[in-house]
Amino acid sequence: MTWLAWRQFRTQAIVGAACLAVLFGALLFTWWQVRGLAVSTGYTGCTGNDCQNAADSFLDEIEQSLAGRVQLAGVGASFGLPALVGVFWGAPMVARELETGTYRIAWSQTVSRRRWLLVKLSVGGLAAVLVAGALSLALTSWAQPIDDAHATLAHANLITPLVFSTRGVVPIGYATLAFAIGVTAGLMLRKTLAATAVTLALVVATQIGAVELRPLIADPVHRVTALTAERANMVARMNDVVTRVEGWPSETDSWELSNTIVTTPGGPEYRGPTDQEKCTPDCREWLGAQGLLQEERYVPARRFWLVQWRELGVLLTLTAALSLISLWWIRRRPA
Amino acid sequence: MTSVLRSENLTKRYGRRTALSGCTLDVPVGQVVGLVGPNGAGKSTLLQLACGLLEPTAGMIEVLGERPASGSARVGFVAQDAPVYAGLTVAEHLRLGARLNPSWDSAIAEQRIAQAGLDPSQKAGKLSGGQRANLALTVAVAKRPELLLLDEPVAALDPLARRLFLQALMELVAEQEMTVIMSSHLVSDLQRICDHLIVLVGSQVRLAGDVDDLLASHHRLIGPRRESVDVASYGWTLIEDRHTAAQSTLVVRSTAPIDDPSWQADQLDLEDILLAYLSESAPAAAPERVLEAQR
């Protein structure tokens, strides 16, 4: 059965590998450019306070170079990978057999429907793990100097939604889940086109939903501090009336979930009124004296791996659940 | 004699549509069984129930003494239109069979492919209908099943390919101890090779029996026109009746020989018998009936 599953999957696997090879080629081509720029801007081997400036100019240079575009492509590929895996590998895997009637030749051999599906799920799932793992690993090692520079500048980098799901181990979870979604949709809808559309919608919904739900597993820091004049960051005015007050984040290298100025913890956002006379030209001194509180919720960068493993756990659990549903379905609901 | 297939009140519904209803059968082992009926009569449904691709809505079906389940080594099945993997070559289909069936007989497979003149390196998607049917049959046969189910195996073939295919099938049955149940909507395909016949019409079994018995027990009676014939009093079952101004022609089923001198009794061939059952006016599963001659 493994031979047949692989034989049927071979073409798609080769196409996938070819696409991945193109991206790897681009990463390899710019590999030395990234390292070269780190040296030429003085970031590599910097010491002390020089590092901040060097890191800054290094990131500027990257942004304007080919490597910057390759990095964007890499991030785009990472976000697109689950949808591609679901649509091109998952959805047709069972749907096409049901649609063209070839399941009848497969199920007439000495192999149970469950084993047939289990082997198909294993072959495709393993391929999804390999592709997603390879892409994440390649991107992570390629971007090592860039990530280091962001860390030097205490930028919120790896922990932010835009980078988080392209690094570490979660891409593997997204790819396998998308594959399982595709197979399950194909099995239930029995039409490749319908399964493709449903898979695409569900995979994108999963990716959006994951960002919304990530704080639940990320154990965010909840912090209430007194708003001093130094912490007051931005004061938005309209016609000389203060409309919005913001405070500096406590940890800049964090994924900020909320950051509001309140009068009591958990209370509504502070929106004035302010003393217009004392607020001109600068309101910060006055605000600092009002006994206001800054309430923050954020996920600090140091939680990166904790959140990575937890999220991978959730995604793999969902993958396993969908696989079990498929295996149950194929036995209970034959053609 | 043991049964290869036994069903009681077997019923399959797709939503509100009934594909097979109240089907009770007992098919003896070791024969070539023909399953005849017009399109949509439930032949495919019955065969797919027998190989476990479908689950019955109601009733019981037993194949080789077990509840049918797909993936059985004992039952081979070639579905309608002989599906094959278009992207796989002929040789890869044989490899598929060898990998997926512990009982695979590669000698038979190779021999049949050679006999059928199939090029092992050709993609199955490029085969003609007859070649595809042959490939699908080869995969099903080389598994060495005890029961081989064929759903309209020759429907897509031209008359010559049809004859060759049936000939090959006959040879296989002679070589291997195998029961074959094959469906067709064409009577002529079956009469040459079948020992046992099942007639399905409108999702119900209309007739089932050994071909020899069917031939011996059906008669065409021709006599002067009658107003009404009480066939039951003769111990006959009326299958079909036609009347012209001068004479009445009946097709009746009777186990006893016809000795009424007022009728001229003729033997019927299988095709005549089946057509009589398949025609609209024929009764369902043998109720006794009194004939009212039409004016």
Side-chain angles (χ1 to χ4, degrees), chain A residues 71-283:
Chain A
Q71 186 180 23
L72 269 182
V75 170
S78 301
F79 273 97
L81 183 74
L84 294 173
V85 164
V87 163
F88 289 108
W89 288 4
M93 186 159 266
V94 173
R96 200 192 290 139
E97 298 240 12
L98 295 176
E99 203 169 36
T100 57
T102 46
Y103 71 96
R104 293 175 300 178
I105 194 169
W107 296 1
S108 299
Q109 310 308 312
T110 315
V111 57
S112 73
R113 289 197 286 252
R114 276 190 158 183
R115 208 166 86 78
W116 177 79
L117 181 60
L118 188 64
V119 173
K120 272 178 172 295
L121 279 169
S122 309
V123 168
L126 188 67
V129 167
L130 288 177
V131 166
L135 181 57
S136 173
L137 192 64
L139 207 56
T140 305
S141 43
W142 178 87
Q144 195 61 55
I146 300 175
D147 290 342
D148 285 347
H150 280 300
T152 305
L153 294 166
H155 282 170
N157 176 35
L158 292 178
I159 198 72
T160 56
L162 197 61
V163 185
F164 184 83
S165 38
T166 69
R167 298 290 169 78
V169 289
V170 294
I172 292 171
Y174 282 104
T176 53
L177 179 59
F179 176 73
I181 288 174
V183 171
T184 312
L187 179 63
M188 294 182 177
L189 297 169
R190 311 174 60 88
K191 292 273 182 288
T192 310
L193 194 64
T196 301
V198 168
T199 303
L200 188 62
L202 285 178
V203 169
V204 172
T206 307
Q207 288 175 308
I208 294 170
V211 174
E212 294 298 317
L213 297 176
R214 189 170 296 145
L216 295 179
I217 54 165
D219 236 344
V221 173
H222 183 225
R223 185 169 179 153
V224 180
T225 42
L227 182 76
T228 58
E230 295 77 49
R231 289 186 67 88
N233 163 29
M234 196 186 86
V235 183
R237 295 157 160 272
M238 191 186 275
N239 300 333
D240 276 351
V241 176
V242 172
T243 53
R244 191 175 148 76
V245 184
E246 273 182 20
W248 287 106
S250 303
E251 295 184 57
T252 50
D253 56 343
S254 67
W255 176 29
E256 189 179 279
L257 303 174
S258 70
N259 181 3
T260 50
I261 306 304
V262 292
T263 45
T264 51
E269 190 176 354
Y270 172 76
R271 290 183 187 282
T274 49
D275 188 328
Q276 290 305 316
E277 222 167 273
K278 291 187 175 150
C279 267
T280 318
D282 191 344
C283 210

Side-chain angles (χ1 to χ4, degrees), chain B:
Chain B
M1 195 156 52
T2 47
S3 305
V4 68
L5 184 152
R6 230 160 50 75
S7 75
E8 264 165 42
N9 257 324
L10 186 65
T11 299
K12 176 69 188 176
R13 277 187 282 273
Y14 300 101
R16 297 173 71 183
R17 194 172 71 81
T18 302
L20 198 66
S21 77
C23 169
T24 299
L25 283 171
D26 192 347
V27 181
V29 80
Q31 297 192 311
V32 178
V33 180
L35 186 58
V36 209
N39 292 325
K43 303 188 296 292
S44 292
T45 303
L46 178 59
L47 289 175
Q48 291 189 64
L49 285 164
C51 69
L53 280 184
L54 294 178
E55 296 276 325
T57 313
M60 182 282 292
I61 181 164
E62 224 178 58
V63 170
L64 301 166
E66 311 173 336
R67 240 188 96 204
S70 66
S72 158
R74 305 173 67 195
V75 180
F77 177 57
V78 178
Q80 200 161 5
D81 308 326
V84 289
Y85 288 106
L88 266 61
T89 64
V90 169
E92 282 172 329
H93 275 84
L94 299 193
R95 192 162 171 199
L96 171 165
R99 293 269 179 161
L100 267 53
N101 298 288
S103 56
W104 186 256
D105 186 334
S106 58
I108 287 189
E110 308 274 340
Q111 182 201 339
R112 272 200 45 77
I113 291 299
Q115 263 176 12
L118 293 175
D119 174 5
S121 63
Q122 188 160 29
K123 291 254 197 248
K126 298 224 165 92
L127 296 176
S128 71
Q131 291 174 318
R132 216 174 58 215
N134 257 316
L135 176 58
L137 179 69
T138 300
V139 173
V141 162
K143 178 185 171 183
R144 284 195 157 278
E146 293 168 48
L147 171 64
L148 180 61
L149 304 167
L150 306 174
D151 194 357
E152 300 268 9
V154 293
L157 309 193
D158 61 60
L160 181 64
R162 188 173 293 201
R163 176 167 292 221
L164 290 173
F165 182 92
L166 292 175
Q167 218 160 34
L169 184 64
M170 288 302 286
E171 282 165 20
L172 283 169
V173 174
E175 285 164 18
Q176 306 186 21
E177 284 181 9
M178 184 168 67
T179 305
V180 177
I181 303 182
M182 63 180 286
S183 74
S184 178
H185 61 279
L186 289 176
V187 177
S188 53
D189 290 336
L190 300 173
Q191 78 182 69
R192 213 173 295 125
I193 68 166
C194 291
D195 313 308
H196 191 96
L197 274 176
I198 299 165
V199 179
L200 276 179
V201 179
S203 82
Q204 288 182 315
V205 177
R206 185 146 290 176
L207 173 72
D210 283 353
V211 169
D212 292 342
D213 295 343
L214 294 178
L215 287 172
S217 63
H218 285 81
H219 312 271
R220 177 187 284 124
L221 306 181
I222 302 171
R225 186 189 165 89
R226 321 266 165 122
E227 291 299 309
S228 82
V229 186
D230 184 3
V231 288
S233 68
Y234 292 95
W236 303 341
T237 308
L238 182 73
I239 308 303
E240 189 191 44
D241 58 303
R242 283 206 199 98
H243 304 275
T244 60
Q247 65 176 29
S248 293
T249 306
L250 311 182
V251 174
V252 298
R253 183 174 192 174
S254 165
T255 42
I258 307 290
D259 46 14
D260 185 332
S262 64
W263 293 101
Q264 178 204 332
D266 285 340
Q267 281 296 315
L268 287 158
D269 67 16
L270 198 57
E271 185 156 10
D272 294 330
I273 297 172
L274 293 177
L275 287 176
Y277 277 92
L278 292 172
S279 69
E280 285 295 315
S281 67
E288 306 298 319
R289 207 174 75 152
V290 177
L291 167 68
E292 293 288 337
Q294 291 142 354
R295 291 208 166 263

